[in-house]
Amino acid sequence: MRPAPMTTRHLIATALVCSAVGLTACGGKKDKEAPAKTAASAAAQARTVSVGSVETRPLGGGVEASGLLVSREEAAVGSELTGYRVARLYADEGDWVRAGQPLVQLDDTLLRAQVEQQAAVTAQAQAEAKRVAGLDGQGVLSQEQIETRRYQAKAQEAALKELRTRASRMTITSPVSGRVLSRGVAPGQIAGGGTTPWFTIARDGLVELDAEVNEADLAGIRQGQAAQVSLPGGQSISGVVRLISPRVDSANRLGKVRVRLPVRPDLRPGGFGRANFGASGAPVTAIPESAIRYEADGLFVMTLDSNNRAHQTAVKIGQKGGGWAQLVQGPPAGTRIVLGGASFVTDGDVVRPAPVQQAAR
């Protein structure tokens, strides 16, 4: 039997079915390509940002300060005697002296004669006091005469002691060992017992840098920390922080830091020096300060996962120094974080990292 000829209705139905199948096939292909194109577009539009990382490092470093070279301790030497001529000098500026070494000899010619005369008077008074020993209450001499002789003997002994003490100070000696910084006495000068010292001595020759440090940088400096001091002549000397002043000048907001320096002839009190304080303290977990975002509800950083997607992470920081901040609470060491451009990145953004070299340790 022959198949029935297709009617016009059948032809139209067949065409509609084919069209529907074709559209379904085309639609399926588009649905598969769309996510890939979206991802490619997002990657192309990703913001390029500088990326650093959370590190374990000593906090501080990079702090510079200038100041004057000063003696760690100065001894002022003079004479409390008056009226005696300077007979001889034994030291001059720049000399190294030891404790007890003679510096000045006063002319004691007249004083020696006075001591001899007083010794004779004292001996006579002592002899008179011995003669009345044991005569108390016997009526040979009045008690007043006996007491007078005893008093005179004691008075003459005190006068002799005073002259001998003065004689022992006719030679002025150095109270400490060190370097003579200044001399203010000349041969032939008459001692006047003034307050101006004859010699100024730097004890043990120790010279330090009295650096003035900005108040904000004091927290990054500690006792025992290494410092490199540069002199105007180009010399570079290694020193150690000995003392940090407990107060800050209210006028200029600067604090004093004393840097101990080795004994060297080219270190002169009154000279200028500049110190660079290296990293200090034990290693801590730290982040670059440029990575911190200051929001109304706290501090945050933008961390990056393996797909370079940013995530806003809350942090708590401690002390700062050298462009770094101690991380008290936050991501672990090694975590990648967005630096300066973090303020333009929002949570969930995909970024294109551009690594930068972080500050040296």
Side-chain angles (χ1 to χ4, degrees):
M1 182 181 296
R2 266 175 159 183
M6 295 187 68
T7 64
T8 302
R9 181 178 298 177
H10 289 160
L11 292 173
I12 294 173
T14 302
L16 288 175
V17 170
C18 292
S19 298
V21 171
L23 288 174
T24 302
C26 293
K29 183 177 181 181
K30 288 182 180 179
D31 289 343
K32 291 179 180 179
E33 292 178 353
K37 289 183 178 180
T38 302
S41 176
Q45 296 177 2
R47 180 185 297 276
T48 300
V49 296
S50 298
V51 175
S53 62
V54 181
E55 291 190 9
T56 300
R57 53 176 291 137
L59 195 64
V63 177
E64 289 192 354
S66 60
L68 297 178
L69 298 175
V70 298
S71 302
R72 177 170 177 175
E73 182 180 329
E74 291 185 357
V77 183
S79 175
E80 67 271 30
L81 302 178
T82 59
Y84 295 96
R85 181 178 61 85
V86 175
R88 184 176 300 176
L89 297 178
Y90 297 106
D92 203 349
E93 291 185 5
D95 291 347
W96 288 86
V97 297
R98 64 182 183 279
Q101 177 179 329
L103 301 176
V104 179
Q105 178 62 53
L106 300 177
D107 187 353
D108 60 351
T109 304
L110 179 60
L111 183 58
R112 288 200 308 269
Q114 291 175 338
V115 171
E116 292 176 0
Q117 182 181 7
Q118 184 61 42
V121 173
T122 301
Q124 183 179 358
Q126 290 174 340
E128 291 294 332
K130 288 181 180 179
R131 291 193 186 98
V132 299
L135 298 181
D136 298 82
Q138 294 186 12
V140 177
L141 291 174
S142 66
Q143 192 63 32
E144 182 180 356
Q145 291 175 320
I146 294 173
E147 294 297 334
T148 298
R149 292 186 182 185
R150 290 173 178 169
Y151 172 77
Q152 288 177 346
K154 291 181 180 179
Q156 297 303 330
E157 290 173 2
L160 178 61
K161 183 178 180 180
E162 190 273 335
L163 288 174
R164 286 175 173 169
T165 300
R166 186 177 300 183
S168 68
R169 298 184 179 179
M170 297 300 281
T171 302
I172 289 85
T173 60
S174 176
V176 298
S177 297
R179 190 180 188 185
V180 178
L181 300 179
S182 66
R183 191 198 78 184
V185 61
Q189 180 177 329
I190 303 300
T195 57
T196 302
W198 284 359
F199 289 91
T200 302
I201 302 173
R203 183 177 66 82
D204 297 327
L206 296 175
V207 176
E208 299 180 330
L209 177 67
D210 190 24
E212 295 184 323
V213 179
N214 190 286
E215 178 184 12
D217 294 327
L218 283 175
I221 300 175
R222 62 177 179 82
Q223 290 184 353
Q225 179 179 345
Q228 203 69 22
V229 176
S230 302
L231 302 182
Q235 306 94 320
S236 182
I237 305 172
S238 298
V240 176
V241 174
R242 182 184 68 86
L243 177 67
I244 301 175
S245 174
R247 64 182 297 273
V248 173
D249 192 312
S250 59
N252 54 26
R253 314 309 304 173
L254 297 176
K256 297 283 189 178
V257 175
R258 286 288 189 100
V259 180
R260 184 174 66 245
L261 300 173
V263 178
R264 291 174 48 141
D266 56 347
L267 294 178
R268 300 177 177 87
F272 177 82
R274 180 176 294 277
N276 182 283
F277 300 93
S280 63
V284 297
T285 303
I287 56 175
E289 289 188 62
S290 61
I292 302 173
R293 294 178 60 169
Y294 296 86
E295 305 288 351
D297 51 349
L299 306 181
F300 298 89
V301 295
M302 282 295 181
T303 61
L304 295 180
D305 60 21
S306 58
N307 296 320
N308 294 328
R309 188 174 296 277
H311 302 278
Q312 182 169 291
T313 305
V315 296
K316 290 184 180 180
I317 62 174
Q319 61 178 334
K320 299 179 180 179
W324 290 78
Q326 180 184 8
L327 192 60
V328 178
Q329 180 180 325
T335 303
R336 294 187 303 159
I337 52 178
V338 180
L339 300 182
S343 57
F344 301 101
V345 178
T346 59
D347 190 46
D349 285 354
V350 175
V351 299
R352 182 184 297 114
V356 297
Q357 184 176 359
Q358 299 182 169
R361 298 190 179 189

